[in-house]
Amino acid sequence: MHSFLRVVAAAVPLILALAAAGCAEGKTEARPTVSVPETSPPAPVPLTPQVAEQAFRTYVTDEDVARAAGDERLALTWTSDGQSQLTAAEFRRAAYDGDPVRRFAYGKPEMYVPKLKDAAYPQWFVVSVDRSVLGRPKSRHKALMAFVLRGPSDRWKLTLATLLQEKADEPEVAIDDDGYAEALSTDDTSVLIRPRDVGGIQATIAAEGGGSVAAKVMKSSAVTTGFYRDAKQAKKKAKKKDLTLQVVYTATPFPYFGLRTENGGGLVVYSLFRNTSLVAKDPDTPAPEIPEDAEHLLDGTVEGNEVDTTSTLHFAAYDPPKAKKGKAQPKAHMVADDGAVTKAATPPLKKP
């Protein structure tokens, strides 16, 4: 024991001397370098009909989980663009009414998958499928649903869904022997209306009616000239209450999609906004009432003299091929529509 203590006593001065020398020289012992492994971005997956169908099946399952749980945040992770706006508004409407959010049952899908370059993004495809609301046996409609994948590390999301009109025939999309559809370019001139202009043509007719130049290339319907008539009647009704109503249809920043049909035409799916403003300009006129379809988006009060709403509307139109010289030219016509009010505001009175 005494020998051990003598060894320790002899060693302590040596250790202190070495430590002092190290401090005097300003040197510290180097620490080992921690290496972080590099991660490579996921490799692009080529879009095939099989990949698209799996993406659709995954969406159907995950959407139902979110809706069954009443989880708006989860539901929104599977949507984008206009469909996100409509989904959020639907959840809020259900909460306002005290009802469960709708859940859907789907039939066998028909996949419209364009042949894209393997590394090209965004990827997209359209699905035509029967869809019904659970618990409502007579609610079955043919739905056209567009999905987008914006990058290899993203997930497939539903960007647009619209419902085939009752008396409309769904255009037959051309599918090749490998199961692929042909995508129309935004400025394709083989069809009557360039795909990028279809929404603008509809919006113009909605604003100007059947006398519009745009009506020469698109048929009258409930969502073209019908929109014009509805707005005209609503303006007259508002005027009787000393209110001014403005209705404007505008383009959206959301993607649109065009697919070649078997006869050389095109199926174009896209979105529009409908903006309304109801104003009591006369100070003696009572503030306008909140529209029923916007009540769930507001707190029930009108601070000023105005109620503004924005609706997100989804459509599909048939765009016929350009007729050959000397032949009659068919018009484009609407085949599907859906949408709802997704934003509302009651701005306070503006100070003079």
Side-chain angles (χ1 to χ4, degrees), residues 28-218:
T28 58
E29 185 178 353
R31 296 181 180 180
T33 302
V34 178
S35 60
V36 179
E38 294 184 1
T39 57
S40 301
V45 177
L47 176 59
T48 66
Q50 294 75 25
V51 168
E53 184 164 359
Q54 181 57 49
F56 171 71
R57 297 295 185 189
T58 298
Y59 168 80
V60 167
T61 300
D62 293 331
E63 176 206 39
D64 191 58
V65 169
R67 287 176 175 269
D71 191 332
E72 178 184 346
R73 183 176 298 182
L74 181 59
L76 290 175
T77 63
W78 302 107
T79 61
S80 66
D81 306 308
Q83 200 61 36
S84 288
Q85 296 179 348
L86 288 166
T87 299
E90 182 181 1
F91 270 77
R92 290 166 197 171
R93 182 60 180 262
Y96 180 83
D97 293 338
D99 296 329
V101 182
R102 295 181 304 168
R103 295 170 62 189
F104 299 112
Y106 294 89
K108 183 178 180 181
E110 189 169 0
M111 313 300 298
Y112 302 146
V113 183
K115 183 68 173 177
L116 304 175
K117 294 180 180 179
D118 290 350
Y121 286 91
Q123 295 180 353
W124 61 272
F125 64 88
V126 175
V127 179
S128 172
V129 62
D130 285 332
R131 189 184 76 174
S132 58
V133 180
L134 288 178
R136 303 180 195 173
K138 296 183 180 181
S139 63
R140 187 175 69 174
H141 275 87
K142 178 74 73 174
L144 295 173
M145 306 170 68
F147 291 82
V148 168
L149 180 69
R150 288 189 162 85
S153 59
D154 200 1
R155 64 177 65 173
W156 283 100
K157 296 178 180 178
L158 177 66
T159 183
L160 183 157
T162 188
L163 301 177
L164 197 70
Q165 297 167 351
E166 287 188 8
K167 297 182 179 180
D169 293 324
E170 182 181 354
E172 295 184 7
V173 175
I175 305 295
D176 67 18
D177 293 339
D178 295 322
Y180 290 95
E182 178 187 346
L184 297 179
S185 65
T186 60
D187 58 353
D188 192 301
T189 56
S190 68
V191 287
L192 178 61
I193 306 171
R194 292 182 300 181
R196 70 184 184 189
D197 295 332
V198 173
I201 292 293
Q202 182 195 4
T204 300
I205 299 173
E208 301 176 359
S212 169
V213 174
K216 294 181 178 180
V217 294
M218 183 174 284

